[in-house]
Amino acid sequence: MELTLSEEQSELAATVRSLLEKRSDSRAVRAAIEAEHGFDADLWSMLCEQIGVAALGVPEEHDGVGAGLVEYAVVLEELGRALTPGPLLSTVVAVEVMLAAADDEARARLLPRLAAGEVIAFVEPVDGVATGVLDAEAASVLLVVDGDDLLEVDPATAEITWSPSMDQTLRLATVRVDTAAEGVTRIGDGVAAAARARLVGALGSACLAVGCADRALAMTVGYSKERVQFGRPIGSFQALKHRMADMLVRVEMARSAAWASAAGLAIGTPDAEVLVHCAASYAAEAVADVTAETVQMHGGIAITWEHDAHLLFKRAHALGQLFGSALEHRRAVPLP
C-alpha cells in the first residue's frame, strides 16, 4: 500500500490550499458560518467548478473525475486545515453510499448531480428521527435508510430543523422523515448503505481532524517564535520545544493512519474496516490533545473570541463525536 501522495495528489492539495488561502481566511470563515446554510456558497461553487472536488470519486461515466477516496481525503485535510465550512464530507458520504448500495438507475440520475456540487444528505433515522445530520438544510435530496431499504426522499416532505452546536463550522440538523410520504422511492440496499456511510464518515472526520491538528500545530509554532518572555522567544525554551515535538508526532501519526485507511477502503483491503476505526480513534484523540496544547501555549489570547484557537478546539471536539467517539471506534476493533 502506497502511503505517500502522488504528484497529481500533491498538486491537488496545493491547488486547494492556494484557493483556501485566498477565500477562506479567518474573516471569511466567520462570515461563512453566518450564511444561510452555514457555508460560503460561492466558494463551494469555485471548489466544484474550478477544481472538481465534489466529482473526485464519481465515475467518469457519471460526469465525475474517476479518482477516489484518497483524493477526497487529500481535499478534506486541506478543508480541515482552513476550517472551511462546506458540504464536502456529506457529499463524499453520499457518493460512496450511491456506489455501494444504489441501483443503476439511481446512480445514473443522482451521481452527476453530486459531481456538479449539488448537496445530497444521508439520513439514518431511528423511529423516523435522525439527529446530527450534516448539511440537511441545504440538501436537494435525502438518502434515507429505512431498515433494509435505501430511499430517495424529497426534503420538502421531511421536517428539517437546524441544531445549533458548539462548533459553528459544522452545520447539523434534526430530520424527521415520513417514509410513507408520496414520492418516496426505494433505490437500493439500506444495510449496505448504512455500513458504508459509517465507515466513510469516520474516515472523512479523521481527515478533517488531521488538517485541524496540523493548523493548530503551525499556529503554535508560529506564536512561539513571536511571543517573548524573559527576553527570549518562548519557542527557545526546552520544555516548550518538547511539547511542540510531541504535537508534531501526534499530527504525523494521525495523518499516516488516515491515509492508510483511505487507501485501504478505496481498494477494499481485508483490514480496511479495522484501519478506519484505528484512524478515527487516533485522529479524534490527537486533534483534541493538539488543540488543547494550542490553547495552553498561546496563553490568555487563546480564550478570546477574536483568536482562532477556540474555533480549532471546538472543531476538534465536534469531530470526535460526529461519526462515533474514539472509544466507540476502539470497541469496534476486534481483539487479536
Side-chain angles (χ1 to χ4, degrees), residues 14 78 93 124 135 234 247 308 324:
E78 294 301 326
V93 171
E124 189 178 358
D135 304 310
I234 62 173
M247 292 167 71
D308 284 347

Side-chain angles (χ1 to χ4, degrees), residues 54-67:
L56 287 170
V58 177
E60 293 182 23
E61 60 266 30
H62 297 303
D63 300 336
V65 175

Side-chain angles (χ1 to χ4, degrees), residues 59-75:
E60 293 182 23
E61 60 266 30
H62 297 303
D63 300 336
V65 175
L69 276 172
V70 176
E71 286 72 22
Y72 275 142
V74 167
V75 178

Side-chain angles (χ1 to χ4, degrees), residues 3-306:
L3 292 183
T4 58
L5 298 184
S6 67
E7 183 178 346
E8 292 80 8
Q9 290 164 345
S10 297
E11 181 62 28
L12 172 63
T15 301
V16 173
R17 186 180 301 192
S18 177
L19 177 58
L20 297 181
E21 286 174 349
K22 298 172 184 174
R23 294 294 305 267
S24 192
D25 60 10
S26 177
R27 181 178 296 180
V29 168
R30 291 166 187 259
I33 61 180
E34 299 295 336
E36 180 183 5
H37 295 307
F39 64 91
D40 182 344
D42 290 337
L43 175 58
W44 175 243
S45 295
M46 293 177 69
L47 285 164
C48 293
E49 294 169 8
Q50 297 183 14
I51 304 176
V53 298
L56 287 170
V58 177
E60 293 182 23
E61 60 266 30
H62 297 303
D63 300 336
V65 175
L69 276 172
V70 176
E71 286 72 22
Y72 275 142
V74 167
V75 178
L76 284 168
E77 183 176 328
E78 294 301 326
L79 294 176
R81 180 180 289 104
L83 284 182
T84 305
L88 183 60
L89 180 53
S90 55
T91 295
V92 175
V93 171
V95 168
E96 288 292 318
V97 163
M98 294 297 299
L99 294 175
D103 58 42
D104 290 341
E105 189 278 331
R107 290 181 189 176
R109 184 163 40 81
L110 295 179
L111 283 173
R113 293 166 62 178
L114 280 163
E118 196 168 321
V119 181
I120 295 179
F122 177 79
V123 184
E124 189 178 358
V126 176
D127 295 328
V129 180
T131 58
V133 180
L134 276 171
D135 304 310
E137 294 171 285
S140 58
V141 174
L142 301 178
L143 301 178
V144 179
V145 169
D146 182 30
D148 293 337
D149 297 327
L150 175 63
L151 307 176
E152 179 184 345
V153 176
D154 184 345
T157 68
E159 180 183 332
I160 301 174
T161 308
W162 173 41
S163 303
S165 58
M166 184 67 72
D167 175 22
Q168 297 162 290
T169 65
L170 293 175
R171 193 76 166 193
L172 305 176
T174 296
V175 180
R176 298 178 182 273
V177 182
D178 179 7
T179 56
E182 185 178 351
V184 172
T185 306
R186 185 188 188 279
I187 60 171
D189 182 341
V191 175
R196 191 66 175 180
R198 292 169 193 153
L199 283 178
V200 172
L203 167 63
S205 296
C207 295
L208 288 172
V210 170
C212 180
D214 194 53
R215 165 79 174 279
L217 171 62
M219 283 174 51
T220 305
V221 171
Y223 182 73
S224 74
K225 296 176 181 178
E226 299 171 358
R227 178 72 168 92
V228 174
Q229 187 65 275
F230 305 114
R232 296 166 54 186
I234 62 173
S236 66
F237 297 125
Q238 191 74 3
L240 298 190
K241 289 181 180 179
H242 287 166
R243 289 169 69 176
M244 287 183 281
D246 289 341
M247 292 167 71
L248 174 62
V249 170
R250 299 299 299 274
V251 171
E252 291 301 326
M253 289 183 67
R255 177 176 287 120
S256 295
W259 286 2
S261 61
L265 200 57
I267 62 178
T269 60
D271 61 348
E273 185 172 342
V274 171
L275 287 173
V276 171
H277 289 308
C278 290
S281 175
Y282 189 87
E285 294 189 338
V287 72
D289 291 346
V290 169
T291 55
E293 281 285 72
T294 296
V295 172
Q296 290 292 319
M297 294 178 68
H298 275 75
I301 193 175
I303 60 172
T304 64
W305 182 258
E306 292 75 18

